[in-house]
Amino acid sequence: MSRWQIEIARDDIAQAAIADLPDRAPGPGEAEFAIDLVALTANNVTYAALGQKTPFLGPDAGYWDFFAERDEPGRLPVWGFATATRSAAEGIAVGDRFYGYWPLASHTVLAADQIRGTGFTEVTPRRASLPAAYNQYARLKALGDHREADHYWWPVYRPLFLTGWLIADQFEDEDDFGAEAIIVSGASSKTALAFAHVMKARGDCPRLVALASRRSADFTAGTGLYDQVVDYDAIDTIAAEGKVALVDFAGNPAATRAVHERFGDALTVDMIVGITHWDAERGGGPLPGPRPIGFFAPGRMKKRSADWGAHGFRRQTEEAWLDFMPAAKRLTAIDRRSGAEAALAAYRDAVAGKVDPRVGVLIEP
């Protein structure tokens, strides 16, 4: 099948299938892209779990809105590279390569505006009210921190690293919320590893305590990024005095409750980042301690771009990314897979929680 897309049931993300992708020529202001290389990580499960609706994106928006109308199946957003194959958009030529947000498919047609040497903005009407950060597509040749030797790590880590870096930046900006220890739930996830790396690079960060499953405990300890690794069933053994913060990359309600009950008012912040445990039971009554708050990377990006200017923000993130690259390569091996069947299998593994923290899965459609 030369043109395909993965379609996902909007109300049951475990249900997914390969579907034919109609061949549609781009209209005025549009360009068609062949998707070259994208990653599938636990982060994509969060996109799917929040596909229908999430307050992060707006009062009536979800991640399905990026690539599907409301009466269509969900189409999973993924990060990576694509090449223009047909263009009716002045300023985008056949063969131009871009980094950005794509559907899990072989091809896509995007509406382009504000086309310039650095990239373009996607302006499909349903995306106009969605956060601007997701609608920016960067020309590969204009990326100041892209190195060919790092190419395969970009789809796997770049968006996740940026999220981790932004969380660490907020902690530093907020004096670590007064915490002497930070508990990291889902500590083996790639976003969590990026966060821990940036915190450790500061040199004066609070103690980092990793919550990890038995399956990932050895890997998590071996990263050298955490001061203590604790099983989810042993939260009551966490050695911490004074104030504590929770950064939740897993969205595991049982673990969240255990942390709140263990620390109560000594917990200064509970910051929710991911929902990889998308099928876990919710509820259980009010939590002791602070109310959980959501972290939304595009909002933090907007703040820091206003604080430092676009150039200042880009310079800081580029420097931090290049500093992280040796750690990323040490922590993660690349697993390249090709075609629709491989894409569907990788998606199903991610939804089933079978993501190996030691591996970055790449799809070459």
Side-chain angles (χ1 to χ4, degrees), residues 13-341:
I13 66 171
Q15 301 302 314
I18 301 166
D20 289 321
L21 178 66
D23 185 355
R24 180 174 81 80
E30 295 182 332
E32 178 195 69
F33 298 87
I35 297 166
D36 300 324
L37 185 73
V38 295
L40 262 171
T41 69
N43 182 56
N44 301 107
V45 178
T46 295
Y47 292 151
L50 301 178
Q52 293 273 56
K53 190 174 181 179
T54 173
F56 290 152
L57 300 183
D60 185 36
Y63 281 96
W64 296 144
D65 292 330
F66 283 97
F67 298 111
E69 301 295 342
R70 295 287 174 89
D71 59 349
E72 297 176 328
R75 298 186 183 112
L76 187 71
V78 288
W79 291 92
F81 300 100
T83 301
T85 48
R86 292 184 286 184
S87 178
E90 185 177 351
I92 297 178
V94 171
D96 287 353
R97 301 172 69 196
F98 293 87
Y99 169 79
Y101 210 45
W102 314 98
L104 186 56
S106 62
H107 298 74
T108 192
V109 174
L110 301 182
D113 196 10
Q114 302 176 44
I115 302 167
R116 50 208 179 276
T118 54
F120 68 91
T121 300
E122 218 287 346
V123 292
T124 297
R126 69 171 179 273
R127 294 178 63 164
S129 63
L130 298 172
Y134 293 110
N135 293 333
Q136 306 304 311
Y137 291 78
R139 291 185 189 272
L140 179 57
K141 64 182 180 181
L143 291 170
D145 51 349
H146 179 269
R147 306 289 184 269
E148 198 58 38
D150 305 335
H151 188 70
Y152 292 123
W153 279 268
W154 262 76
V156 171
Y157 264 116
R158 192 61 166 88
L160 307 183
F161 171 79
L162 182 57
T163 298
W165 183 86
L166 288 164
I167 297 166
D169 173 69
Q170 183 167 353
F171 264 82
E172 186 171 16
D173 196 31
E174 301 280 356
D175 293 324
D176 299 315
F177 297 92
E180 297 172 34
I182 301 173
I183 299 170
V184 182
S185 176
S188 67
S189 71
K190 293 174 178 61
T191 315
L193 296 176
F195 166 74
H197 170 86
V198 176
M199 292 295 290
K200 286 295 185 184
R202 270 175 43 184
D204 61 345
C205 77
R207 193 164 172 271
L208 297 182
V209 179
L211 293 184
S213 67
R214 290 185 178 90
R215 184 171 66 91
S216 64
D218 288 345
F219 165 78
T220 305
T223 67
L225 295 173
Y226 298 101
D227 299 293
Q228 183 183 8
V229 178
V230 176
D231 187 272
Y232 284 100
D233 294 331
I235 289 172
D236 59 347
T237 69
I238 293 175
E241 297 180 359
K243 300 295 185 180
V244 174
L246 171 64
V247 184
D248 187 0
F249 293 94
N252 183 330
T256 298
R257 178 163 294 279
V259 170
H260 277 257
E261 291 179 349
R262 165 76 171 82
F263 293 100
D265 291 336
L267 187 66
T268 63
V269 66
D270 174 357
M271 186 178 291
I272 304 170
V273 183
I275 309 179
T276 54
H277 290 76
W278 61 275
D279 55 350
E281 290 292 333
R282 309 286 159 179
L287 293 170
R291 182 178 179 180
I293 60 172
F295 178 83
F296 188 50
R300 187 70 187 174
M301 288 173 63
K302 185 176 181 180
K303 179 186 186 304
R304 279 315 199 190
S305 293
D307 291 342
W308 303 332
H311 177 73
F313 177 78
R314 185 169 58 250
R315 178 178 55 79
Q316 292 214 40
T317 55
E318 287 177 353
E319 290 176 357
W321 168 253
L322 292 173
D323 178 69
F324 176 64
M325 267 293 89
K329 293 179 180 181
R330 173 177 63 86
L331 296 170
T332 307
I334 297 298
D335 177 8
R336 294 165 60 188
R337 308 180 189 181
S338 299
E341 294 288 352

